[in-house]
Amino acid sequence: KALVKLQSNEDKPLLDQVLHNLARVLYKLGELEASIKCYQKMGSSNFHSKVGLALSSWKAEKFAQAYSAYGEALQSATTTEQRSHVLAAMATIAFKFQGPDAAKTLLFQSVQQRPPSLQGILALCVLGLQQSNPTLVQAAIAEMDKHKDNKKAEIIAMKALVMTLQGQPVAARRLISKAIHQNP
């Protein structure tokens, strides 16, 4: 009933906000189809609603729809950080239905944004390890090295994994030990 009352033209922004919030709740509840429908009913969409639609579509395994929605989100991104995150997300979908070369291209574009998406850097490293491509791994490590002050566990773990795979298990243990024992 409340939604029916909000359908006048002057209440359109409020209706869109209600639909956006409802779509997010439905997503959290696992009602993906209903979430997608709410996002699609919105009269105007912004970056966050486009990303929400893409994520709901991804979880519903509608990969082409998710990729398209992320493409629209990329066009409406207002910061390079948003662009980096969207490109990394698009790479995961591209890997599924276009293969590793498409994913690699998108991940390189993601990492070139400033600031780069941490998930994009890690995905580039994982793709390099999966493809046995030392150039990709080294590119990801070089990007991680730019974030030396960043104490995120993911970066430390990924560097340790790469060191171990390169036959440097002692250096990997030292890296982890140093990170654990540093003062906060």
Side-chain angles (χ1 to χ4, degrees), residues 94-116:
F95 183 84
K96 275 231 184 253
F97 70 92
Q98 293 176 337
D101 287 339
K104 179 173 54 174
T105 300
L106 290 166
L107 288 172
F108 270 123
Q109 291 174 1
S110 170
V111 171
Q112 290 171 349
Q113 303 294 315
R114 293 290 175 246

Side-chain angles (χ1 to χ4, degrees), residues 146-163:
K146 293 178 184 176
H147 303 280
K148 288 181 182 179
D149 294 335
N150 191 341
K151 298 179 183 177
K152 292 195 180 251
E154 295 93 346
I155 291 175
I156 294 166
M158 188 60 69
K159 284 183 176 183
L161 172 64
V162 170
M163 289 174 159

Side-chain angles (χ1 to χ4, degrees), residues 78-92:
T78 57
T79 68
T80 55
E81 185 175 20
Q82 288 176 338
R83 290 181 54 78
S84 183
H85 287 303
V86 170
L87 286 164
M90 289 176 76
T92 62

Side-chain angles (χ1 to χ4, degrees), residues 31-68:
E31 300 291 332
L32 302 174
E33 292 298 326
S35 175
I36 291 168
K37 286 179 184 175
C38 279
Y39 281 120
Q40 291 172 334
K41 285 183 183 178
M42 292 178 62
S44 63
S45 57
N46 58 29
F47 173 78
H48 297 289
S49 62
K50 290 173 185 177
V51 169
L53 174 60
L55 188 55
S56 292
S57 299
W58 165 259
K59 291 287 187 176
E61 298 184 357
K62 295 181 175 188
F63 301 122
Q65 181 178 341
Y67 192 83
S68 176

